[in-house]
Amino acid sequence: MPDAPTSRRLLLSATALIALGGPAAARSIRGALPWSPNEAYPPPRVTAGGWLYFTAEEAASIEAIANRLIPADALGPGGGEAGCAIYLDRQLAGPYGSSSWLYMQGPFARGTPEQGLQDERPPAALYRQSLSAINAHCRARFGGRAFPALSPEEQDALLHAIDEGRSGIAGLEDKPFFEMLLQNVMEGFFADPIYGGNRDMAGWKLLGFPGTRYDYREMLDRPNQPYRDPPVPLSGLRAASWQVAR
Amino acid sequence: MSRRLPPTDVVVVGLGWTGSIMSYELCRAGLRVTAIERGPWRDTPTDFPPTTAPDELRYSIRHDLFVRPAQETLTFRNTMNQTALPIRRWGSFLPGNGVGGAGVHWNGQTWRWHPWDFTFHSSSVARYGADFLPQDHMMQDWGITYEELEESFDRFEYLCGISGKAGNLGGQLQPGGNPFEGSRRRDYPTPPMQMTAAPQLFAKAATELGWKPFPQPSANLSQAYTNPYGCKLAPCTYCGFCERFGCGNFSKSSPQTCVLPVLVRHPGFEARTECQVTRVNLSRDGKRATGVTYVDTAGQEWEQPAALVLLCAYQLFNVRLLLLSGIGKPYNPATGEGVVGRNYAYQVTGGATGFFGQDKIFNPFIGAGSVGMVADEFNADNFDHGPAGFVGGASLACILTNGRPITNRPVPPDTPRWGSEWKRATRDNYNRWAAVGLQGSVMPYRGNYLDLDPTYKDSNGLPLLRMTFDFPENERKLSRFAVDRCVEAVRAMGAHTVRRNEISGPYSIVPYQSTHNTGGAIMGSDPKTSVANKYCQVWDVPNVFLSGASLFPMNAGFNPTGPVGALAYWAADAIRDRYLPNPGPLVPA
Ligand SMILES: Cc1cc2nc3c(=O)[nH]c(=O)nc-3n(C[C@H](O)[C@H](O)[C@H](O)COP(=O)(O)OP(=O)(O)OC[C@H]3O[C@@H](n4cnc5c(N)ncnc54)[C@H](O)[C@@H]3O)c2cc1C
């Protein structure tokens, strides 16, 4: 394989279909399996730093929302603390945010619920529009305060109204926005920490999910026994607070 | 302008389960085989090693391995009087892409179907009378019997190293196996998987209910295995990342673990990846295929001439390629005439989720795609359908595949979806739920079919496939009946709270149900009502052979890949032993 893994990966991705010009891009494989040792395609690790997609107010709003959907309590940290906003920021800056893997050709029609997603706006645009509508509503209704500055009770009441489709917020489609939001916040709380959320594996520790251990054969003779080893993320044991508690 | 390439003996469209098996069998028969695959090359050490494979977000949620709808999708509507709209994001089913196809990311539940399934029409008429059959059905036998396919089932099981327990060896019922299965020549190649807590509890409860539970035949292997091709598989580690993921342990049977290592080394074989086949080319009289046309990632169009064309592109895309190529008369639901697109069926799914007390610790993350126990009492014609009032049936199973946290953390009904109460319930129940699920048959109906969409096109400007489908009343009765049985089982397991999951409302493409699409290019004994004869050979164009679940005239209460694999062997044998000595129609029309 002359190609570096990254460039080969680019060649393989369906999005590269459009980008590629030049000579015949087909790969012919014969005689041997076409890979070299130590060639793998891990996801890029999300690193700390400024927001890639969100404005400061959008980020603060998502943090506040995540802390209400998954509140900090005796069971552990809240969604905002666990990094759900960073997670979502990085997702919206990537192919998820632009729907670039999805079929986005028109004509667009509303369709039946059974026909699924038919929205022309990709998630990044939907978040921008919806968060701005929510914050404009908050400022008008709550004496100039945006969502993050509301009390937890006010925040909960507003989120309940959106969840139930009765917020009346101009420029916001309650239900589709809330479904997307709830799904994405849960993703941020429970996805591997490599994506920026689930900080210190807070989501996994809440459940008792051991992460990427990948081998549980030793437990097969112990049905109904608790699993005691701490969780391990994709980035490996060193990143985890590694100790055997058995 | 399309550029013409030197001819080859066989072009295989799609290098998934069926494409890899048929390619290797025909290489071994001395033919030069060129497989053309729309997606990338994929292999265990590069694409899903243990260091990157267990990634729920990437694979399960963002669908990294499946074909991207931007490249190819289909349109959908429930009924003929609606306008179909594109499936913009996958939901109900997840078509594969790239070398290995859906065989990379399947669960590995591997069944021989029942002898009854192959004669489901004539057997139903014989037992219950023609008036018992549902309205607008298109039921017809397969034109092939279980007995004819038995050897091919056996070969697919030994290719995969399936872990299971025989229930019927040469007519002798075997304790611990499925008492309803057809007679088999020998036991499974490897013993059943070791059961985890929930399936064990289900087996006990099912036995108390008078059922005869047995281990799910599994392509996640219970022990190391070397298959007849010399490919080696390793024991499953119960990692809990099976369906939707590639296996980093070489312990899930797939084209990667079972065929490709020997296929790629065969001097007669070449794979061309990242090339989308857009049509099968026909001779001027339309009676012979001359090869295929495909487009590479640079947008260049190529023509690959070949003496034989095998469509191995998965059920949906086999049907689309036939329609795009003008092979076979398209089905017209208004007249009931035509063949390509008819008998599209799907799968009834659902079941019951039970929530248990503090004494249970199920550890749901300890799982595999096929580790579980099954009860077959209500499948096929294993019970009297007279009182039940529907045709078909369902297998019931407790298979705990995973506890992946983004998706799999059920809470009892009436729990809020967010907030502190949700958080506590989520923590309290994560380790204390178990589900009994069902897979039910779907009969073919006049209004459930596939054709080309009049509006929406793919990235090459070609019409998308259009699906028109809903669950008819017969299948809704089956759903209610089978879910009732699941609820009984979950209660007998000791659950304090049970949630029913059954068909309500029209079929929806949003929630995942199963990638068990069937029909559309069915086999049969009459060219007026089928696309292919019993050797999977297209009636109208005898040098085109079909594969996959598009050949099924109905869908049964089991997963499809057992018969898909068996038919691949069956068709490859027919090509080698019958077609090559005397190229032409293998069955007179
Ligand atoms: C999530 C999931 C779980 C499953 N679990 C089970 C299970 O537990 N048990 C079971 O029995 N079955 C299961 N299945 C189904 C099983 O994977 C399929 O039955 C099986 O892979 C079908 O084999 P095939 O060769 O017909 O298609 P595939 O294996 O999908 O191969 C088709 C190939 O053709 C390629 N292709 C398509 N169109 C073109 C084109 N125009 N040009 C070039 N190439 C093309 C595709 O990219 C693909 O690689 C599951 C499927 C999925 C997705």
Side-chain angles (χ1 to χ4, degrees), chain A residues 8-9 11-18 20-36 38-43 68-78 87 91 96 99-119 155-156 159-160 163 175 178-179 182-184 186-187 189-192 194-195 203-217 219-227 234, chain B residues 40-43 45-59 61-64 68-71 73 76-78 82-90 194-197 200 235-241 246-249 260-261 264-275 294 296-298 300 302 359-363 365-367 403-406 409 417-420 422-424 426-427 430-431 455-459 464 505-510:
Chain A
R8 179 178 165 222
R9 193 59 190 168
L11 191 71
L12 300 189
S13 71
T15 37
L17 278 180
I18 306 105
L20 272 166
R27 299 184 75 224
S28 168
I29 291 132
R30 59 198 317 166
L33 293 168
W35 49 265
S36 324
N38 301 323
E39 193 186 16
Y41 317 115
R68 295 322 303 154
L69 298 183
I70 308 175
D73 56 20
L75 300 180
Y87 161 81
Q91 289 291 307
Y96 172 71
S99 289
S100 61
W101 292 6
L102 306 188
Y103 185 86
M104 295 303 280
Q105 293 187 45
F108 285 85
R110 220 174 163 74
T112 65
E114 289 73 28
Q115 288 173 311
L117 175 79
Q118 296 298 336
D119 199 324
Q155 291 177 336
D156 278 356
L159 289 171
H160 275 296
D163 183 6
K175 285 269 185 190
F178 195 84
E179 292 310 311
L182 186 61
Q183 166 70 20
N184 289 157
M186 293 298 168
E187 287 166 7
F189 198 65
F190 291 113
D192 193 280
I194 206 164
Y195 294 103
W204 293 357
K205 287 175 184 164
L206 174 74
L207 303 176
F209 175 67
T212 67
R213 286 190 170 269
Y214 221 62
D215 190 347
Y216 298 109
R217 282 172 293 179
M219 289 296 293
L220 292 175
D221 292 327
R222 285 180 272 154
N224 265 305
Q225 300 294 308
Y227 186 83
L234 277 174
Chain B
W41 186 270
R42 289 211 166 107
D43 211 346
T46 44
D47 293 84
F48 29 89
T51 47
T52 63
D55 185 340
E56 184 183 16
L57 183 75
R58 176 177 179 181
Y59 295 109
I61 308 292
R62 296 283 176 262
H63 299 173
D64 195 302
R68 294 179 187 168
Q71 183 176 353
T73 185
F76 164 75
R77 58 183 181 176
N78 282 124
Q82 292 173 333
T83 303
L85 294 179
I87 300 180
R88 298 187 181 277
R89 175 174 62 200
W90 297 122
Q194 194 171 336
M195 289 303 147
T196 50
Q200 284 181 20
C236 173
T237 63
Y238 297 71
C239 78
F241 290 86
C247 175
N249 284 329
L260 295 172
V264 167
R265 285 192 194 98
H266 199 286
F269 181 72
E270 181 193 352
R272 244 168 259 157
T273 57
E274 298 153 80
C275 293
Y294 66 87
D296 69 19
T297 52
Q300 173 64 46
W302 301 87
D359 58 319
K360 291 287 183 295
I361 302 175
F362 288 125
N363 292 328
F365 44 85
I366 305 176
R404 295 189 297 267
I406 299 175
R409 39 180 170 75
R417 297 199 300 162
W418 51 276
S420 283
W422 161 83
K423 197 175 174 189
R424 178 163 300 281
T426 298
R427 193 210 46 182
Y430 177 71
N431 234 328
T455 308
Y456 293 96
K457 311 259 190 294
D458 71 6
S459 47
L464 296 179
Y507 165 67
S508 166
I509 56 108
V510 180

Side-chain angles (χ1 to χ4, degrees), chain A residues 117-178:
Chain A
L117 175 79
Q118 296 298 336
D119 199 324
E120 200 167 348
R121 295 160 299 174
L126 254 179
Y127 271 102
R128 178 129 301 153
Q129 191 180 324
S130 305
L131 290 175
S132 135
I134 291 171
N135 278 321
H137 170 87
C138 290
R139 284 206 181 83
R141 281 280 299 275
F142 297 97
R145 288 178 295 151
F147 187 89
L150 305 188
S151 72
E153 293 73 27
E154 288 166 334
Q155 291 177 336
D156 278 356
L158 193 61
L159 289 171
H160 275 296
I162 300 173
D163 183 6
E164 288 152 27
R166 51 174 177 80
S167 81
I169 298 176
L172 180 73
E173 281 177 71
D174 284 351
K175 285 269 185 190
F177 175 68
F178 195 84

